[in-house]
Amino acid sequence: MATTGGAGRPEKRKAITRAATTVFGREGYVRASMDAIAAEAGVSKRTVYNHFADKETLFLSVALQSSAELTERIRELMEEHLDRAVDLRRDLAEFAVGRADAVLAAGEHGALGRAIRAEVANIPADVLEAWLEAGPVASQRDLAGRFAALTGSGLLAAADPELAAEQFTLLTFHGVAERTFWGALPVAGEEVRRIAAAGVDAFLAVYGPPAAG
């Protein structure tokens, strides 16, 4: 599925995608209209259609951009905390807190993600699949790769790195995500750190290397 329609000026295209992110996050996929997006962007509806063939194409474009930006931020956190791990418990906890903070601070990108989750039955299947692949699936794949490397260096004992990555996310992140309705409500920083620390302890109880001797 193509992500763009016709050609047009780059600054207009950026204004449209910013407006679309706002409107889709506020109204959801079904209720959002090209008229509302045009009004938010300060352009005509014809201009919107000059850049994007239809609402589905525009939604896919902004969803992929949003996912890619957040995925890249999480990848940077993995590089910072997991690629050169020294104190594994501390590094895992700092990564978990950083990831939670990145998602909770995602602003309009977070609102778009909430809209997708709330309207999953109404999102076109190919759009949903592409969003998952660019965002949550990509991040889990990246994390599994780090856990495989940590297992190879003897810091973890994860025979199935993909399962380990899934369980790490459940233990250290989903409690925060559910409590805040994926960033819609605030949560105290100390609570994020408490959930992360408890989750890391539970994770290492299963996947930590066996004690010497």
Side-chain angles (χ1 to χ4, degrees):
M1 176 179 170
T3 59
T4 60
R9 289 190 294 175
E11 65 273 18
K12 289 289 182 68
R13 184 182 182 84
K14 289 180 181 178
I16 292 165
T17 56
R18 284 196 302 268
T21 301
T22 299
V23 173
F24 282 128
R26 184 178 66 224
E27 305 291 341
Y29 177 74
V30 173
R31 291 181 57 194
S33 68
M34 297 295 257
D35 287 301
I37 291 167
E40 183 77 23
V43 301
S44 69
K45 187 162 70 169
R46 178 186 293 274
T47 298
V48 176
Y49 280 112
N50 282 342
H51 289 269
F52 299 95
D54 51 36
K55 185 169 80 168
E56 181 178 339
T57 301
L58 176 52
F59 186 78
L60 175 59
S61 179
V62 297
L64 291 183
Q65 178 180 330
S66 176
S67 278
E69 290 175 359
L70 187 55
T71 298
E72 181 57 30
R73 175 58 187 140
I74 293 171
R75 186 173 292 126
E76 291 170 356
L77 290 167
M78 291 182 197
E79 292 172 356
E80 179 181 353
H81 297 295
L82 303 183
D83 286 358
R84 294 175 294 277
V86 177
D87 180 334
L88 187 59
R89 182 184 182 279
R90 182 198 64 199
D91 292 329
L92 286 171
E94 288 181 353
F95 164 70
V97 170
R99 175 169 63 172
D101 287 345
V103 173
L104 297 182
E108 290 183 342
H109 295 299
L112 183 61
R114 291 193 295 274
I116 291 172
R117 290 180 173 90
E119 291 194 77
V120 63
N122 299 316
I123 304 295
D126 54 347
V127 174
L128 181 62
E129 182 178 357
W131 175 77
L132 287 169
E133 183 61 32
V137 171
S139 285
Q140 286 300 101
R141 188 184 301 118
D142 287 344
L143 187 56
R146 264 68 181 193
F147 285 173
L150 289 168
T151 296
S153 64
L155 293 176
L156 282 181
D160 185 341
E162 292 183 1
L163 178 61
E166 180 181 346
Q167 293 181 337
F168 180 84
T169 297
L170 288 171
L171 288 166
T172 64
F173 175 70
H174 274 274
V176 176
E178 293 299 323
R179 185 169 304 186
T180 64
F181 291 87
W182 291 88
L185 300 177
V187 63
E190 56 266 28
E191 182 64 5
V192 175
R193 292 189 290 273
R194 184 194 68 77
I195 291 172
V200 167
D201 285 343
F203 177 80
L204 290 176
V206 177
Y207 291 106

